[in-house]
Amino acid sequence: MRKPTNLLYFTSKTCNPCKKLLPQVEQLVAENPLSLKLIVIDIDKHPKFSSQAGVMAVPTILFTTDWEPTTEEVDRLLPTSASIKNIEKRLEERDA
């Protein structure tokens, strides 16, 4: 059985787009519990980790497998529905 992919969701309390996107990401993860594991990271509380991950702005979503970063990054400038579609596409590619 394949391990779930970690979906690292970088956010900030003051980020309104983050607040809008997070519930939809949570719903997607809830619908795919065997494929995805959501980890929410507040960049203000964890600036060093965020910097090491290459986060320049929020929201940023990165995918990892066994804590090895992949080159997969969801474009943080996409509208919410496009971001969700991008995540779903990556899930399909992973499971193919």
Side-chain angles (χ1 to χ4, degrees):
M1 177 182 243
R2 186 185 293 209
K3 292 182 181 179
T5 296
N6 297 309
L7 192 152
L8 305 180
Y9 187 85
F10 292 88
T11 186
S12 172
K13 282 194 274 186
T14 60
C15 173
N16 287 327
C18 298
K19 294 173 187 174
K20 182 178 179 184
L21 181 59
L22 183 58
Q24 294 179 42
V25 171
E26 289 172 328
Q27 177 67 33
L28 183 64
V29 170
E31 292 170 1
N32 298 279
L34 299 177
S35 299
L36 288 174
K37 179 179 177 182
L38 178 62
I39 301 165
V40 179
I41 301 161
D42 185 324
I43 64 166
D44 299 319
K45 292 181 181 177
H46 305 285
K48 187 174 180 181
F49 181 75
S50 301
S51 177
Q52 289 172 337
V55 175
M56 304 287 280
V58 289
T60 294
I61 299 171
L62 300 175
F63 295 90
T64 66
T65 308
D66 293 327
W67 294 102
E68 291 296 322
T70 69
T71 56
E72 313 270 346
E73 180 178 345
V74 175
D75 188 344
R76 61 187 157 264
L77 301 177
L78 292 174
T80 302
S81 60
S83 294
I84 295 299
K85 287 179 185 173
N86 219 352
I87 295 169
E88 290 172 338
K89 178 183 172 196
R90 301 219 193 269
L91 262 179
E92 290 171 8
E93 289 170 357
R94 176 189 179 242
D95 293 338

